[in-house]
Amino acid sequence: MSHPEPNTVSDPTAEDASTGTDAEPYGPRTTADHAAASHDPVDPVDPSATTPTDDEADKPRWRRDATIFLGGQTVSLFGSMLVQYAIMWHLTLETKSGSVLALATVFGFLPQAVVSIFGGVWADRLNRKFLIIAADASIAVTTLALALLMLSGTDDLWLIYAALAIRSVGAGIQMPAVSSLLPQLVPVSKLMRVNGINGSIQSAMTLLAPAVAAGVYASASIVAIFFVDVVTAVIGIGLLALIPVTKVLRADEAAGEKVGYFDDLVGGLRYLRGHTFVRWVLGLYAVVFLLIVAPSYLTPLMVVRTFGEEVWKLTANELAFSFGAILGGVLLATWGGLKNRVAMIVGATFVFGVLSVGLGLSTNMWVFFTFMFLLGVAVPAFATTSMTVLQETVEPDRQGRVFGFVGIVMALAMPLGMLIFGPLADRFSVESLLIVSGALMFLVIAIAVLVPSGRRAMRAADAHSTVAA
């Protein structure tokens, strides 16, 4: 039977409404938790306060639970990706309208960004397992209703927009719960490897889902894909139901206090403002995800403009990136990453900058594809490490709210990045935008490591990695 993370008492070094002091910059909630419980201050750079405790003995069935959980999420994700591709293709073929596609993107991403912060609060107040099940079930019912309406001959655009919006709301509720549930199932020492496996699976889905969606859409219809999504949701819910999960006991509940929903919401904002390390990670994560839009989404345009319009070249570009991401996740799952998580995040950002500049300077197509492959390999080193370090650092009863903010970044980075880089690509060459994006990455690194919070994070991470070694 799986067990939740140990009960956590609020850290006195974290900012609250009265003190305004900073929380410790880095480290899993271990020795610091016990010190917080006794209300003794913890030195934020003291290695003993940041050394991870191996809690594998407390979770004897973690391999079984993690396998079932990731299996269910993979099946559910597969169905969701089929619907995502099918709807965009359907709207493209039926309307041939850029405005329609733009609205579909807004309805598909904006609700998730808005709801994520509220979903994070729910993830910290409710049983995360049941929250995920409720979100999945709501999405499935919506998709089933749309399928039945389209079978009856009703296929108005507003119905598709409404379905996209509801699915996006469900994703905004689900994402913080999924990200914060995984540390309840998996020992801290295994989180990086499990997240690496999960990243590889998701990258593999980006290869498989378009091919399957194209086959089903061509041989049957979009309605058939909707029914497949409903079935995958039912399977995902069924697998998750097999995992015993208890609600994380919050510090205020343990003290007999009753905190309102909006008090929790404000508390999450205060936590981010006061916890310098978490704020630093989220800030870097947001800026890098915005800048990575250029090499991730504009490269097909460069392929067409520079190397030719053949479809196989566009396919090779996507395959190079996807296979690289799969390999990067496998390497991370096998290796486990650097003990110094901060150095790994900063190093991956530097690699992004080098590869983005390399892509912009490439005049040979195969060199270009090699850089795309290496970019894919580097993505897990940044994205997976960022998620893992938050799971290791943030108290279990606050992780939902923190990952709610991560969900906002994930939902807005791509559309906002395309809003910036898309029009620029019509005025300037993609090559120049890639070079500028890479140069900005270097500037971001310099700022990130020179600001006081960055310097403290680097020092604490060095101390943590030294002790852990």
Side-chain angles (χ1 to χ4, degrees):
M1 179 176 180
S2 64
H3 301 279
E5 293 288 331
N7 301 338
T8 307
V9 179
S10 297
D11 181 2
T13 60
E15 176 179 285
D16 58 30
S18 59
T19 63
T21 56
D22 283 342
E24 78 275 10
Y26 180 79
R29 309 296 304 169
T30 53
T31 308
D33 290 339
H34 301 295
S38 62
H39 300 285
D40 294 329
V42 178
D43 181 0
V45 191
D46 177 9
S48 67
T50 59
T51 304
T53 298
D54 188 358
D55 57 345
E56 187 171 355
D58 296 330
K59 302 171 181 177
R61 301 177 64 183
W62 74 267
R63 287 184 174 83
R64 169 208 178 257
D65 292 342
T67 300
I68 294 175
F69 179 67
L70 293 184
Q73 290 301 299
T74 298
V75 173
S76 181
L77 172 66
F78 178 66
S80 296
M81 293 185 71
L82 292 183
V83 171
Q84 177 184 334
Y85 285 111
I87 287 180
M88 296 307 291
W89 293 342
H90 179 77
L91 293 177
T92 300
L93 294 172
E94 295 297 322
T95 69
K96 299 179 177 63
S97 169
S99 298
V100 167
L101 294 178
L103 282 173
T105 301
V106 170
F107 285 115
F109 285 96
L110 186 59
Q112 178 179 348
V114 173
V115 171
S116 283
I117 185 172
F118 303 104
V121 176
W122 288 325
D124 285 338
R125 294 176 67 90
L126 306 173
N127 187 305
R128 290 159 181 168
K129 167 183 168 178
F130 296 130
L131 194 60
I132 296 169
I133 289 175
D136 254 344
S138 299
I139 293 173
V141 169
T142 300
T143 306
L144 179 60
L146 180 60
L148 296 176
L149 286 170
M150 293 186 75
L151 275 179
S152 68
T154 305
D155 59 353
D156 296 340
L157 277 177
W158 72 266
L159 285 173
I160 296 178
Y161 291 153
L164 285 172
I166 295 173
R167 290 175 63 88
S168 184
V169 168
I173 296 172
Q174 189 181 59
M175 184 271 171
V178 169
S179 299
S180 53
L181 176 58
L182 193 60
Q184 285 185 245
L185 306 177
V186 178
V188 172
S189 61
K190 307 297 182 182
L191 276 173
M192 180 70 90
R193 296 179 187 274
V194 173
N195 281 326
I197 294 171
N198 191 31
S200 293
I201 292 172
Q202 293 183 17
S203 297
M205 290 298 100
T206 64
L207 286 175
L208 180 62
V212 174
V216 176
Y217 189 81
S219 61
S221 67
I222 189 173
V223 173
I225 292 178
F226 291 159
F227 284 127
V228 171
D229 181 49
V230 173
V231 172
T232 58
V234 171
I235 294 173
I237 291 172
L239 289 174
L240 182 55
L242 298 175
I243 305 173
V245 177
T246 58
K247 179 178 175 293
V248 173
L249 180 62
R250 294 157 49 112
D252 46 30
E253 292 176 343
E257 302 174 9
K258 290 187 177 181
V259 180
Y261 178 88
F262 287 101
D263 292 329
D264 267 349
L265 184 60
V266 173
L269 293 170
R270 286 176 175 165
Y271 179 78
L272 286 182
R273 186 181 66 183
H275 200 305
T276 53
F277 177 71
V278 172
R279 189 174 66 243
W280 181 84
V281 172
L282 283 178
L284 183 60
Y285 189 85
V287 174
V288 170
F289 258 68
L290 186 65
L291 292 176
I292 204 68
V293 164
S296 297
Y297 293 97
L298 293 183
T299 48
L301 190 58
M302 179 176 168
V303 169
V304 170
R305 290 179 179 177
T306 306
F307 303 121
E309 300 181 3
E310 293 87 346
V311 174
W312 73 266
K313 294 179 180 178
L314 291 171
T315 304
N317 180 64
E318 297 300 326
L319 290 176
F321 181 84
S322 296
F323 277 119
I326 293 173
L327 178 60
V330 171
L331 290 174
L332 205 56
T334 304
W335 165 40
L338 297 175
K339 297 295 183 183
N340 189 326
R341 308 294 197 215
V342 174
M344 194 160 180
I345 292 172
V346 171
T349 306
F350 179 80
V351 171
F352 284 162
V354 171
L355 294 175
S356 185
V357 172
L359 287 167
L361 296 176
S362 297
T363 56
N364 179 278
M365 182 179 67
W366 296 107
V367 172
F368 180 86
F369 290 157
T370 300
F371 280 131
M372 281 300 295
F373 173 78
L374 294 175
L375 182 67
V377 173
V379 165
F382 176 84
T384 302
T385 304
S386 298
M387 296 290 284
T388 301
V389 79
L390 290 175
Q391 291 171 334
E392 292 174 340
T393 304
V394 178
E395 297 91 333
D397 60 350
R398 285 172 170 155
Q399 286 185 9
R401 281 166 284 181
V402 170
F403 284 113
F405 288 102
V406 174
I408 294 173
V409 172
M410 294 176 67
L412 291 182
M414 191 276 284
L416 183 59
M418 287 304 295
L419 187 64
I420 296 171
F421 286 106
L424 289 175
D426 290 333
R427 294 179 57 87
F428 305 98
S429 68
V430 176
E431 289 88 339
S432 63
L433 294 179
L434 290 170
I435 293 172
V436 169
S437 174
L440 289 175
M441 293 277 191
F442 299 140
L443 178 61
V444 167
I445 294 172
I447 295 173
V449 299
L450 290 176
V451 295
S453 58
R455 293 199 301 271
R456 287 196 295 270
M458 294 292 288
R459 288 197 300 268
D462 285 337
H464 164 67
S465 60
T466 300
V467 175

